């Protein structure tokens, strides 16, 4: 957790919450001095605004804080995130009565807004070095007394997982290649008592992960491709498997991306980060599942060893794939990972991937696309997304489009001849590697915030993770 919460303190300034639709009535009941102060500071009582009221005139200190809520379309924790950004350094306590849900959201929103990624900064805006690595916690930052009724363990779990996702995505590829991604997974596994396994380099061929090797073989030995796996939980519990796309940098391969498209490609391992983040939440909460995490980690590089357009590669499932475009590599490595995930016939497989620009064109950058072969499981995920203010939008697995990924010389191709429906055809490609009768959800997400907003700094971002955790909790809570 960031150093943004305390248990109690007599020095804490009171924070009052007022809904925007009740602001007029509240203002009518204030003194002429308060009304004049608010008018002179330009305060309009709009959602997300914070009013700092003066206290004893002799000291010049803040006397009270009023926060206007109820006007953030994102809802949930995001509706409270502006509280942290609107306060100067000091200690604060919400004194308004909150429901348990609001107390949880207030604490989580405050924590999420406290996140900073400062690993490479030698100086902050005030000229001083960062206080706490990649977390806020400096002396000039606000801290909040834990809101009464907040689920502290739940907040810690959600924040910790979100921080893990953000930190991994924000780390540049110079410091996060396949080996470093594997190390992060291994550290998480060992901290939770999970059993860890890694298959590296040419051993991928020996252990039948030919597609992962084909994509990653163009990188240097120090960035050799690998298959990362760990398992946790009792053997006879319901089996849940999480799969993540771990392309730690994507040049596009020989079909090289333009520079503008390559700028954000350190985030192309965002699916793997989400699989690890969700796994962290599941293990911290102790859900009664047999959890398996599988990550295909590669760097899609340009070299004489890189795969070429029109190569035909093998896969673990036995299907052959013609490479139409080396920049459609994510689905290729996921083919082996999903085939492995299906072999022990789990109840549920969820894969996360920063897979297609087509999904972003359809839904924008903030709304992940959900593809699912099970209507009941899809509905549970969507409802959980609304409940947690972590929404997804379901897209169709439209079977007539399967002909677009049929190769003339192999079983499948990894691209199509049309610019339309790319998120759907990518999902259909993945579906070919999922075992029959397994409830499977594929989440095509951005993993990045382009423009900062309350609680979400620009950079790496967890999307759909809290929704999936809530759906799994509803299904498997003991």
């Amino acid at each position: 957790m960031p150093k943004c919460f305390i248990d109690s303190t007599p020095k804490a300034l009171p924070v009052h919450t007022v809904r925007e639709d009740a602001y007029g009535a509240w203002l009518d009941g204030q003194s002429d001095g308060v009304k004049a102060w608010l008018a002179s500071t330009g305060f309009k009582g709009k959602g997300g605004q914070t009013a700092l009221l003066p206290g004893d005139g002799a000291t010049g200190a803040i006397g009270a804080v009023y926060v206007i809520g109820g006007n953030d379309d994102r809802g949930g924790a995001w509706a409270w995130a502006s509280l942290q950004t609107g306060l100067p350094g000091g200690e604060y306590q919400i004194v308004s009565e909150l429901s348990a849900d609001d107390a949880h959201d207030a604490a989580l929103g405050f924590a999420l807004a406290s996140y900073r990624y400062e690993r490479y900064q030698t100086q902050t805006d005030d000229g001083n070095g960062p206080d706490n690595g990649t977390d806020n916690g400096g002396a000039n930052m606000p801290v909040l007394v834990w809101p009464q009724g907040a689920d502290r363990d739940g907040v810690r779990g959600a924040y910790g997982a979100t921080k893990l996702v953000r930190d991994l995505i924000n780390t540049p590829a110079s410091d996060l290649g396949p080996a470093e991604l594997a190390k992060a997974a291994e550290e998480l596994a060992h901290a939770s008592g999970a059993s860890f396994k890694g298959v590296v380099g040419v051993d991928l061929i020996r252990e039948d992960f030919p597609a992962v090797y084909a994509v990653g073989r163009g990188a240097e030995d120090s960035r050799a491709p690998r298959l990362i796996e760990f398992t946790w939980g009792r053997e006879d519990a319901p089996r849940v498997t999480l799969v993540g796309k771990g392309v730690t940098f994507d040049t596009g391969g020989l079909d090289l991306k333009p520079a503008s498209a390559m700028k954000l490609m350190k985030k192309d391992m965002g699916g793997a980060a989400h699989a690890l983040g969700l796994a962290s939440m599941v293990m911290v909460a102790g859900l009664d599942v047999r959890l398996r995490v599988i990550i295909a980690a590669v760097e899609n590089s340009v070299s004489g060893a890189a795969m070429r357009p029109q190569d035909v590669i093998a896969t673990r499932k036995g299907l052959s794939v013609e490479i139409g475009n080396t920049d459609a590599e994510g689905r290729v490595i996921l083919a082996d990972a999903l085939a492995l995930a299906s072999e022990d016939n789990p109840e549920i497989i969820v894969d996360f991937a920063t897979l297609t620009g087509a999904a972003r064109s359809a839904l924008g950058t903030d709304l992940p696309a959900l593809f699912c072969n099970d209507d009941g499981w899809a509905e549970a995920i969507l409802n959980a997304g609304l409940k947690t203010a972590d929404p997804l939008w379901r897209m169709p697995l439209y079977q007539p489009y399967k002909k677009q990924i049929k190769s003339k010389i192999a079983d499948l191709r990894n691209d199509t001849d049309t610019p339309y429906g790319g998120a759907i055809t990518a999902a259909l490609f993945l579906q070919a590697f999922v075992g029959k009768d397994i409830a499977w959800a594929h989440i095509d997400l951005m993993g990045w915030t382009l423009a900062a907003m309350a609680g979400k700094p620009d950079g790496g971002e967890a999307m759909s993770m809290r929704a999936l955790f809530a759906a799994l909790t509803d299904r498997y809570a003991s």
Side-chain angles (χ1 to χ4, degrees), residues 184-195:
E186 185 173 11
E187 288 176 350
L188 176 63
H190 288 169
S192 304
S195 60

Side-chain angles (χ1 to χ4, degrees), residues 121-131 140:
Q121 294 180 359
T122 59
Q123 290 190 333
T124 54
D125 290 340
D126 61 6
N128 298 315
D131 289 279
N140 294 323

Side-chain angles (χ1 to χ4, degrees), residues 245 268 330-331 334 353-357 360 423 426-427 430 442 444-445:
K245 172 190 169 186
D268 211 20
R331 69 202 68 182
L334 286 173
T354 52
L355 203 64
T356 68
R360 312 288 77 77
L430 297 182
H442 160 57
D444 189 339
L445 49 80

